[in-house]
Amino acid sequence: MLYTPIKFRNVELKNRWVMSPMCMYSCENGMANDFHFVHYGSRAQGGTGLIMVEATGVEPQGRITNHCMGIWNDEQAEKLQRITEFVHRNSESKIGIQLAHAGRKGSTWKNIQIPIEEGWETVAPSSIPYHPSERIPHALSADEIKELVQSFKNAAGRAVKAGFDIIEIHGAHGYLIHQFLSPLSNIRTDEYGGSFENRIRFLIEVVDAVNEELNQDTALFVRISGTEYAENGWDLESSVALAKVLKEHAVDLVDVSSGGNIHGAKISVFDGYQVPFAARVRNEASVKTCAVGLITELHQAEEILQQGEADLIFVAREILRNPYLAVQGSFEIGEDCFFPPQYDRAKISS
């Protein structure tokens, strides 16, 4: 199944291998550069079905660090378009982008909050810092929330114009949308806090706004944390319920990761440790999902798909180590996969 195509709207992926979005912390003023051109282009040359560009800030204060990517202006989008055009022209890969806002986890470097004169005032649903030693974030007003919804919409419009095939909204890992979802970081008493319906409101408004910028030629994914590993926090039951709502709002796939919102949460990490979260969301919400998290072997990935636990395999560290993971796997089992014609002399036949 790894080398079986799959469609989301009109976007067909040639195989189920996906490069997971991973921050590179290598931008100046949010701008992609030659490093990113080579970084993403090389994975497309390796046959990966979908390349996901790293978490990209929808506004300057939405970045994790001063060196994170942005798409809050047209110049940034033009730099990214150079990458999408290369991928489309020189491979069979599709390319997506993850739109993000770090919220209270922004203005940092190497996981440490930097002085405000070097960074910025962070924002959150409530005035609760991620770590007690950090500055108290500004609690967003309802009007400011509406402005952020518009920022996501504007960023999606730029991403479509720049040639991206898939837009992913980052609602995981303790960043702003996740902060709204969790009752541990969201103690608001207005329409954006309290009940499950209120806590998911910001995400649903973002989804609806982004969808206004899309058509059948651009698909929509949402990344969530299946659980945050904390008592009375966001959990797998909540994720299943959210996935059902996301499906009703024309989300094509739920990207199921975990953790990130509660400092010091105890997480048991092992090969494929997040796969059961994706499987439960997929099977109980009847929505397409991806599996991610310490998936490193061809046969491990194939088994996940065969058992109906996910529809895509998101690979992170392993594809940093090996940009040619997809095509090498195809050599191993005799499946077809894109390989640059310039490299034909190195092709291994089954």
Side-chain angles (χ1 to χ4, degrees):
M1 288 182 67
L2 268 170
Y3 296 90
T4 302
I6 186 171
K7 285 186 77 171
F8 302 92
R9 305 188 189 188
N10 291 334
V11 181
E12 182 176 87
L13 309 185
K14 295 296 186 182
N15 59 61
R16 311 296 181 94
W17 289 113
V18 182
M19 177 182 178
S20 194
M22 291 173 280
C23 294
M24 293 291 107
Y25 310 111
S26 299
C27 294
E28 295 297 330
N29 300 316
M31 212 82 72
N33 53 46
D34 286 349
F35 166 79
H36 301 93
F37 184 82
V38 173
H39 173 61
Y40 292 112
S42 64
R43 272 73 195 174
Q45 295 298 287
T48 309
L50 172 62
I51 311 296
M52 288 300 303
V53 170
E54 62 205 80
T56 303
V58 299
E59 64 169 22
Q61 294 77 19
R63 295 172 295 169
I64 304 166
T65 77
N66 278 317
H67 298 288
C68 288
M69 191 173 286
I71 192 168
W72 62 81
N73 64 45
D74 292 342
E75 188 178 2
Q76 293 163 340
E78 289 168 6
K79 292 289 186 181
L80 289 164
Q81 187 171 354
R82 178 175 176 243
I83 297 172
T84 65
E85 288 177 348
F86 175 85
V87 169
H88 290 146
R89 190 169 56 245
N90 294 282
S91 76
E92 294 181 352
S93 298
K94 300 300 183 183
I95 184 165
I97 188 169
Q98 187 183 69
L99 303 182
H101 195 296
R104 67 180 186 174
K105 291 183 78 175
S107 194
T108 66
W109 184 247
K110 296 184 178 179
N111 298 318
I112 298 172
Q113 195 169 64
I114 59 178
I116 194 163
E117 58 270 17
E118 299 174 21
W120 54 88
E121 180 184 42
T122 58
V123 299
S126 303
S127 299
I128 304 171
Y130 175 65
H131 187 275
S133 66
E134 295 178 346
R135 297 186 297 275
I136 294 174
H138 165 68
L140 290 160
S141 69
D143 286 343
E144 289 170 330
I145 292 170
K146 298 296 185 187
E147 290 172 3
L148 282 173
V149 171
Q150 186 64 43
S151 294
F152 273 94
K153 177 180 168 68
N154 294 344
R158 291 189 187 96
V160 171
K161 187 177 179 181
F164 286 99
D165 304 294
I166 289 172
I167 307 298
E168 178 170 270
I169 298 167
H170 198 348
H173 301 164
Y175 299 122
L176 184 62
I177 290 174
H178 185 174
Q179 293 159 30
F180 272 89
L181 298 177
S182 171
L184 299 181
S185 49
N186 180 355
I187 57 171
R188 299 175 72 96
T189 56
D190 64 359
E191 67 269 32
Y192 291 98
S195 68
F196 171 81
E197 290 74 18
N198 283 355
R199 285 183 283 110
I200 71 171
R201 189 182 305 278
F202 176 47
L203 172 55
I204 300 307
E205 288 181 353
V206 169
V207 165
D208 290 344
V210 167
N211 256 323
E212 290 177 6
E213 298 293 328
L214 310 184
N215 55 36
Q216 289 303 304
D217 295 324
T218 312
L220 180 60
F221 293 2
V222 173
R223 172 165 273 194
I224 64 171
S225 283
T227 177
E228 57 189 14
Y229 305 99
E231 187 177 359
N232 299 319
W234 184 262
D235 57 19
L236 194 49
E237 288 74 19
S238 301
S239 292
V240 170
L242 173 60
K244 292 177 180 178
V245 178
L246 293 173
K247 184 180 179 182
E248 293 172 356
H249 287 259
V251 170
D252 299 291
L253 175 138
V254 180
D255 174 1
V256 187
S257 188
S258 69
N261 194 43
I262 306 302
H263 188 272
K266 305 300 183 192
I267 305 174
S268 178
V269 176
F270 50 89
D271 285 356
Y273 70 104
Q274 295 174 149
V275 173
F277 305 148
R280 185 164 166 192
V281 169
R282 182 180 190 269
N283 296 323
E284 294 188 18
S286 299
V287 65
K288 289 184 173 67
T289 66
C290 79
V292 61
L294 292 184
I295 300 171
T296 60
E297 300 289 340
L298 172 77
H299 297 290
Q300 176 194 14
E302 178 67 27
E303 184 178 6
I304 290 166
L305 298 175
Q306 292 284 356
Q307 292 184 352
E309 295 176 305
D311 299 276
L312 296 178
I313 302 297
F314 275 45
V315 185
R317 279 167 279 189
E318 189 61 26
I319 207 167
L320 294 182
R321 291 186 283 263
N322 181 10
Y324 290 84
L325 177 68
V327 72
Q328 286 185 345
S330 75
F331 293 160
E332 185 177 332
I333 60 175
E335 291 285 351
D336 289 332
C337 184
F338 173 81
F339 194 53
Q342 296 92 334
Y343 296 175
D344 269 349
R345 74 192 70 182
K347 195 166 186 177
I348 301 171
S349 58
S350 56

